[in-house]
Amino acid sequence: MTAVGTLGVPTTACPPTVGWASGPLGVVQAAAREIARQTAAQARAVAEFAASRPSSADRQPGERGAMSAARRAARPEVLAEVSEWAAQELVVALSISSRTAENLLIRSLTLAHRLPGTLAALESGLLHVGHLGPLLDHVAPVEDDEKRAAIESELLTWMDRPGRVTTPAQLGDKTRRVVLARDARAAARKLEKALRKRDVHLRPDGDVAGMATLSAYMTLPEAKAVLAVLGAYADSLPDVPGEPVRSRGQKMIDVLLDLVLRRGELDLPAVQVQLLVVAAVPSLLGGDQPVEIGGHVVPAEMARDLLRAVGLLPEPADATTSNAPTTAPTTAPGAPDPGAPDPGAPDPGAPDPGAPDPGAADPGAAPSLSATATGEPPPTRVLTPSEREEIDLLERCWALDARLPEDPAPVPDEVLRAWAEDADAELAAIRAVGLAPPPWFPDLYADLALPPPTDRPAAPVPPADHARPPAPADDGRGTGWWAEADRAVAAAGTALLDLDRALGHAGRLVTTAERADAVDEASCAASPAGRVSATTDALAALHAASVEHRTALAELLFRTAGGGLVDRPRVALVDGLAGTLIALTDTAELTRVATCGRAACRRRPARCTHDLTGRPGLTAPPGSAGYRPRTALDRFVRMRDRRCRFPGCRMPVPAGGELDHDRPHVEGGPTAASNLTGYCTPHHRGKHQAPGWSSALAADGTLTVTTPSGLTAVTEPPPF
């Protein structure tokens, strides 16, 4: 194991987690580590080079030839203090394109300044270059320095596990989980921006004329559902006799065209698709714990939207929901009484602390620790008119579309000509009194590329006489270039005063926004959803949930396979520390194991007060006598593994087949959870056909794979 510092940063060079191979493969491992070390050295050197090329040496805004304001605003934050010409030096030095050079600058500065632990892990060999993508994409954007360092440390510690193979895809999945759990608000803001970019794009094929790629940018649950529906329709279509056999992908394209272009003209039968949703109890009750849909991590609110769309969860109520206790359908031995008063429940008659009423929340009042812990709303006071006006302005700003504004409409030619004529008349007046125009005076005919007027003769230009006093004017400053300069100075002073007032008002708005955000955080923590997010187990989450949330969860658990569901919802009993699956059950089995078994107690399980010692508990399903596992055992193993268990593979376990007996059935291997492993089809074939490979499955589901060169890799079922 690697020597790791207090922040999870490797302090020494580390060997591969699967050990060193002998022969040429060992040379490949050493070369990969040298590439990682040199990549880290390059990043440090590029960051040092960027520090020697500060942006202060460039022409500053307002100077002729300076970088435009639009380009300056579009530059990443890490390049704000770097000269715009630094990338060009990299182009010359490395013979790369300008875009590649700028990306190298961005990556190097991000690693050096925002992900120092990642840079050290790359230098030590714990990471390779492919691992940088998930960390740069998801961890580096975290704004809070302490949160970012904690996330980085957790991920590096997770990767440094003996015998584990961590591919970039696996690291990306883990990174999304950790960031969603630790920085849910930032992830929600990022998702909100991405939702505005939902679109459909057409890209013609550059090689084959007449072909194109149609891509749709949408939420992950929507994309998974669309793909599953197209696949189900394609699988139901038979091959037409006498016509060329279509592949599954070709059938999916034909189905898509039929559904979109000939909708209503088809007699395609309805299809059912299976979309596996793995959600913890806190996520269903309004918490922030991420959810897994089709093997991919998504935010909890997105998963709840999907469940509401298919009718599994009710729409959230607009009014304040009561958090009064309710009676659960069953009571497990040792569990807290759900009928007891909830100490964290606010008064049902009190106002909802999460309600967006600016007149009922004090932006400057910080809630006490006891108020946050017990669920009491933060202290309130009456807002002043100025504070109310600022909050109203903030709400209007937040309601604006966050997309970049469109280009302004062009100024009409007649308006431009009027401006030019006014400037030309002022220029003629200056020359009429014998003065030369100042060098900053605009020549709008030349600047706007307008033809000069032809109906007015050019005014003669008398010799300049700077000693001639200016003629008096209405404002007391007179006329001529000196008076115009005086007026320009006065106008500039007024503009600076207005700017100072605007900056002061903007500062007050920022302060008000920070206070409002603090109150919003406190209100969210005091709400039922906030208390659910703060819990560490399902029982505590149920205790903190509102009545409506508990009722909705109970209705979801009691649903059967009807109503369009492929399979009824299942309850996963999970080890709270290790995250391993203990049992997969439903409400019928919960009722059965929670009673003594008598008919009267089965009819009314809440009244069963008998001794349950010796009753069977919730465990993995028993083994099967035959080669194929029974339905319950098959479902349990697929839920436990979910993805192919081969080291580094993330392909989902197919819905049918591909459950392998680690010890062959013909050699006496049992058809039980302790001897079954989920594989994808290629790795299932490789397990039996690849020469020199071996595998061993432990009773807890840990799979150890040994390669022909003697390397050993360990995989475990993905935790819940």
Side-chain angles (χ1 to χ4, degrees):
M1 182 173 292
T2 310
V4 177
T6 57
L7 297 179
V9 178
T11 57
T12 59
C14 61
T17 56
V18 296
W20 288 102
S22 58
L25 188 56
V27 177
V28 172
Q29 289 179 303
R33 262 152 174 69
E34 182 63 19
I35 291 173
R37 190 181 70 82
Q38 292 293 346
T39 302
Q42 183 193 52
R44 295 188 189 278
V46 170
E48 186 177 356
F49 162 73
S52 68
R53 299 295 186 271
S55 59
S56 58
D58 296 347
R59 296 193 178 187
Q60 299 304 301
E63 296 182 7
R64 190 176 186 86
M67 185 189 304
S68 66
R71 172 168 166 73
R72 189 181 301 277
R75 298 187 86 197
E77 183 181 354
V78 293
L79 296 182
E81 303 299 328
V82 180
S83 169
E84 63 173 313
W85 310 112
Q88 300 307 313
E89 291 189 68
L90 291 175
V91 169
V92 175
L94 303 178
S95 299
I96 56 179
S97 66
S98 297
R99 181 181 296 273
T100 303
E102 188 164 300
N103 289 337
L104 178 60
L105 271 172
I106 295 172
R107 186 181 74 171
S108 302
L109 291 170
T110 302
L111 289 172
H113 300 314
R114 298 182 69 86
L115 298 175
T118 300
L119 189 57
L122 187 68
E123 204 165 27
S124 69
L126 178 62
L127 304 179
H128 60 69
V129 179
H131 289 132
L132 296 180
L135 298 170
L136 290 170
D137 293 341
H138 302 290
V139 181
V142 176
E143 298 176 359
D144 188 275
D145 294 339
E146 294 183 359
K147 284 185 179 180
R148 185 173 63 252
I151 293 173
E152 184 184 32
S153 175
E154 179 178 348
L155 292 172
L156 295 179
T157 303
W158 175 79
M159 287 194 63
D160 187 22
R161 302 169 298 165
R164 269 60 171 185
V165 173
T166 306
T167 64
Q170 290 173 317
L171 177 59
D173 184 75
K174 177 68 174 180
T175 300
R176 284 185 289 271
R177 286 182 180 274
V178 175
V179 171
L180 280 173
R182 285 182 174 264
D183 201 14
R185 288 177 64 87
R189 289 193 294 267
K190 186 176 181 181
L191 177 61
E192 182 182 4
K193 294 179 180 178
L195 287 174
R196 297 193 183 99
K197 298 180 180 178
R198 292 192 303 167
D199 202 353
V200 178
H201 301 278
L202 176 69
R203 186 178 71 252
D205 195 313
D207 297 329
V208 182
M211 298 299 291
T213 299
L214 183 69
S215 60
Y217 186 67
M218 61 182 72
T219 65
L220 180 61
E222 292 171 339
K224 295 286 289 186
V226 169
L227 188 65
V229 169
L230 292 177
Y233 273 122
D235 294 338
S236 66
L237 293 179
D239 293 327
V240 180
E243 295 186 4
V245 177
R246 294 177 295 175
S247 66
R248 189 171 187 263
Q250 291 172 331
K251 290 181 179 180
M252 292 172 68
I253 289 293
D254 294 338
V255 168
L256 177 62
L257 294 175
D258 288 339
L259 292 176
V260 175
L261 301 181
R262 290 181 288 275
R263 184 177 181 181
E265 302 176 8
L266 307 172
D267 54 355
L268 293 176
V271 297
Q272 283 188 333
V273 296
Q274 184 171 359
L275 194 62
L276 181 62
V277 179
V278 181
V281 168
S283 301
L284 297 177
L285 295 177
D288 292 334
Q289 184 172 341
V291 176
E292 186 178 300
I293 295 182
H296 297 274
V297 181
V298 300
E301 183 59 33
M302 181 180 290
R304 289 193 291 267
D305 287 341
L306 175 65
L307 296 178
R308 295 188 191 107
V310 298
L312 295 180
L313 286 179
E315 293 293 334
D318 294 333
T320 303
T321 57
S322 171
N323 199 37
T326 185
T327 302
T330 58
T331 304
D337 182 10
D342 187 352
D347 183 5
D352 186 358
D357 180 10
D362 177 15
S368 64
L369 181 61
S370 60
T372 303
T374 59
E376 295 294 333
T380 61
R381 64 174 173 82
V382 179
L383 297 178
T384 64
S386 61
E387 290 175 334
R388 185 182 298 277
E389 179 183 357
E390 291 177 355
I391 290 181
D392 291 341
L393 180 58
L394 280 173
E395 291 179 350
R396 291 196 297 272
C397 293
W398 290 334
L400 292 177
D401 195 344
R403 291 175 295 185
L404 292 176
E406 302 292 338
D407 292 336
V411 180
D413 289 343
E414 55 270 17
V415 177
L416 293 176
R417 181 170 293 280
W419 291 349
E421 291 176 354
D422 292 342
D424 188 63
E426 294 184 14
L427 183 61
I430 293 175
R431 289 171 173 168
V433 296
L435 299 177
W440 47 262
F441 198 90
D443 186 0
L444 293 185
Y445 283 107
D447 295 345
L448 301 177
L450 294 174
T454 57
D455 56 347
R456 178 180 55 81
V461 182
D465 183 7
H466 296 282
R468 183 176 178 178
D474 294 340
D475 59 357
R477 292 190 175 93
T479 60
W481 68 272
W482 183 263
E484 292 297 331
D486 190 31
R487 293 189 184 94
V489 171
T494 304
L496 288 176
L497 180 60
D498 293 339
L499 177 61
D500 185 64
R501 292 172 178 171
L503 289 175
H505 185 61
R508 291 194 300 272
L509 286 177
V510 171
T511 303
T512 304
E514 292 175 348
R515 293 175 178 174
D517 188 64
V519 173
D520 180 64
E521 289 276 5
S523 300
C524 179
S527 66
R531 293 197 298 273
V532 166
S533 298
T535 57
T536 57
D537 55 64
L539 290 178
L542 288 171
H543 189 62
S546 64
V547 174
E548 286 74 9
H549 284 144
R550 296 173 186 168
T551 303
L553 180 60
E555 292 177 355
L556 172 64
L557 298 180
F558 276 104
R559 290 182 183 272
T560 63
L565 292 179
V566 177
D567 194 8
R568 72 182 65 186
R570 305 284 169 175
V571 179
L573 180 63
V574 178
D575 187 315
L577 295 178
T580 56
L581 181 64
I582 298 176
L584 193 64
T585 184
D586 55 16
T587 53
E589 186 178 11
L590 285 174
T591 303
R592 184 171 63 255
V593 300
T595 63
C596 63
R598 300 177 185 177
C601 292
R602 288 200 304 269
R603 288 192 299 269
R604 296 183 177 180
R607 296 188 177 183
C608 181
T609 58
H610 303 94
D611 185 10
L612 301 182
T613 303
R615 290 285 295 169
L618 294 174
T619 59
S624 303
Y627 175 77
R628 297 192 177 278
R630 296 181 182 273
T631 302
L633 178 60
D634 183 275
R635 181 188 296 115
F636 176 84
V637 175
R638 295 182 192 279
M639 178 61 68
R640 181 197 67 187
D641 293 345
R642 303 198 292 288
R643 292 185 180 274
C644 175
R645 293 292 307 283
F646 187 84
C649 183
R650 285 181 44 79
M651 293 294 293
V653 178
E658 312 306 345
L659 293 186
D660 176 77
H661 288 73
D662 185 67
R663 181 185 174 191
H665 187 261
V666 296
E667 298 178 6
T671 304
S674 59
N675 194 48
L676 290 175
T677 312
Y679 285 103
C680 67
T681 302
H683 284 133
H684 192 187
R685 290 180 57 252
K687 192 258 184 183
H688 294 284
Q689 300 176 13
W693 289 76
S694 63
S695 63
L697 182 67
D700 62 352
T702 300
L703 179 68
T704 303
V705 177
T706 305
T707 71
S709 57
L711 302 182
T712 300
V714 179
T715 70
E716 298 171 344
F720 285 83

